[in-house]
Amino acid sequence: MKGLAIAALLALQLALVLVPAAQAGPEVTVLLHHPDDDVDIFGFPYSPAGDYFTTRYATLAADDQRFDFPFFVADGVLPLEKLPDSARPYESARLAYSDAADARLGQAHAVTMRLATTAQAEGSALVVVTMDPVAPLPDEDLHLMVALAEDPVHYLAPPALTNGIEEHRFTVRAVADLGVIDLTGPAEATHAFALDDGWAVDRLIVAAWLQQDAPSPRFDAREVVQATHVALGGDVVQDTKGVLLEMLSATWCKPCLYGDLAIEAVAVAHGAAEPLALDSGPRYFQAPPSPVLAAVAAALAGAAVAWWGGRK
């Protein structure tokens, strides 16, 4: 019996060695949403009210209830509409997005999250999320959200509908609300995404985040309490505060040229993404230093506004 016990212990130790450890969680998770209109190829319906971003963040829009692009929000509570400074479009956006990320990184993490993902043979992505609150969180309205994003997607829109970006980073392909999670103690949830044949599976990332719905004494409405992401097939443990950076962009939107490049720079600076290799194929149309030059370079993109006259 003693020999069998020792053999079992050795087998368990060997199994632990062979199972790869989960990687440490990233500081930021970046998701770029596109409008569900008849122009932008990356938009998709989330609800009868529209795409995910405009449905989830309608109350953050201006008084006229429409979104002016690019529309950035950090952790659901720090919104930045349009470019901060039209005279310094890229630099002002990069600094503003970076400051928002830093402000949220200063928050204490309330939940440790583990995100394990697997590409299934039948053409689906299995997502398993385990959550362990640092202290019990009773009576909260925390929804577990999960998303698939492709990074990057190579696509050049038609001449009249492009802002010059060809490599679209962090492009959201699917979003699911897994409902309210009881975090009076540890919890677990699973979800399976159906994979589209048009997506590059080796470029898919899975994101998960806990987002408050109704406000409470602890959290603001829409506040993201924890967020993380990992490449499909990976396993990550987020035991420090992870910040969710989201942006509503559009292939036809001229100012979004700067917003897309700025949020990519923030992701790279925080170690959440690698810069795209310049010799790996088509790359961005380089952002002109002057907004006047940008207007000339992407003048035809303004025609898209006529296509989508009633912005949400």
Side-chain angles (χ1 to χ4, degrees), residues 98-112:
S98 181
D99 288 347
D102 289 344
R104 292 300 300 173
L105 281 170
Q107 303 293 313
H109 86 289
V111 179
T112 293

Side-chain angles (χ1 to χ4, degrees), residues 172-197:
V172 176
R173 293 299 201 177
V175 181
D177 183 345
L178 303 192
V180 178
I181 303 298
D182 178 5
L183 287 174
T184 53
E188 181 176 294
T190 62
H191 182 72
F193 284 108
L195 300 180
D196 190 285
D197 291 340

Side-chain angles (χ1 to χ4, degrees), residues 2 31 33 54 154 189 238 272:
K2 184 176 180 181
L31 296 175
H33 305 271
T54 56
H154 175 65
Q238 192 73 42

Side-chain angles (χ1 to χ4, degrees), residues 240-276:
T240 58
K241 178 66 178 83
V243 176
L244 179 66
L245 305 181
E246 297 176 274
M247 192 162 69
L248 182 63
S249 185
T251 58
W252 48 258
C253 161
K254 289 182 291 184
C256 295
L257 166 68
Y258 299 106
D260 284 21
L261 292 173
I263 203 169
E264 177 191 21
V266 174
V268 171
H270 283 279
E274 294 291 332
L276 298 182

Side-chain angles (χ1 to χ4, degrees), residues 12-181:
L12 176 60
Q13 290 174 337
L14 178 60
L16 292 175
V17 170
L18 294 177
V19 174
Q23 66 188 70
E27 291 184 344
V28 301
T29 292
V30 178
L31 296 175
L32 260 64
H33 305 271
H34 287 251
D36 179 30
D37 57 24
D38 294 326
V39 181
D40 196 315
I41 192 174
F42 298 125
F44 60 90
Y46 176 75
S47 74
D51 57 79
Y52 168 81
F53 192 95
T54 56
T55 299
R56 192 69 172 167
Y57 296 119
T59 57
L60 296 180
D63 293 337
D64 57 10
Q65 289 300 295
R66 71 180 200 179
F67 288 86
D68 285 322
F69 293 77
F71 199 109
F72 166 96
V73 60
D75 269 352
V77 291
L78 294 180
L80 291 165
E81 192 171 16
K82 300 187 291 188
L83 298 172
D85 185 351
S86 59
R88 300 164 48 248
Y90 167 74
E91 189 63 14
S92 66
R94 186 188 65 80
L95 291 174
Y97 300 167
S98 181
D99 288 347
D102 289 344
R104 292 300 300 173
L105 281 170
Q107 303 293 313
H109 86 289
V111 179
T112 293
M113 178 183 289
R114 182 166 187 169
L115 171 62
T117 67
T118 308
Q120 305 287 84
E122 69 275 13
S124 66
L126 180 64
V127 180
V128 180
V129 186
T130 55
M131 297 146 283
D132 189 6
V134 175
L137 296 172
D139 305 318
E140 295 294 346
D141 194 13
L142 285 164
H143 287 239
L144 176 61
M145 309 295 300
V146 291
L148 274 182
E150 191 172 343
D151 179 40
V153 182
H154 175 65
Y155 172 72
L156 181 60
L161 303 174
T162 181
N163 56 17
I165 289 206
E166 296 184 34
E167 304 297 327
H168 301 266
R169 309 276 334 236
F170 324 113
T171 303
V172 176
R173 293 299 201 177
V175 181
D177 183 345
L178 303 192
V180 178
I181 303 298

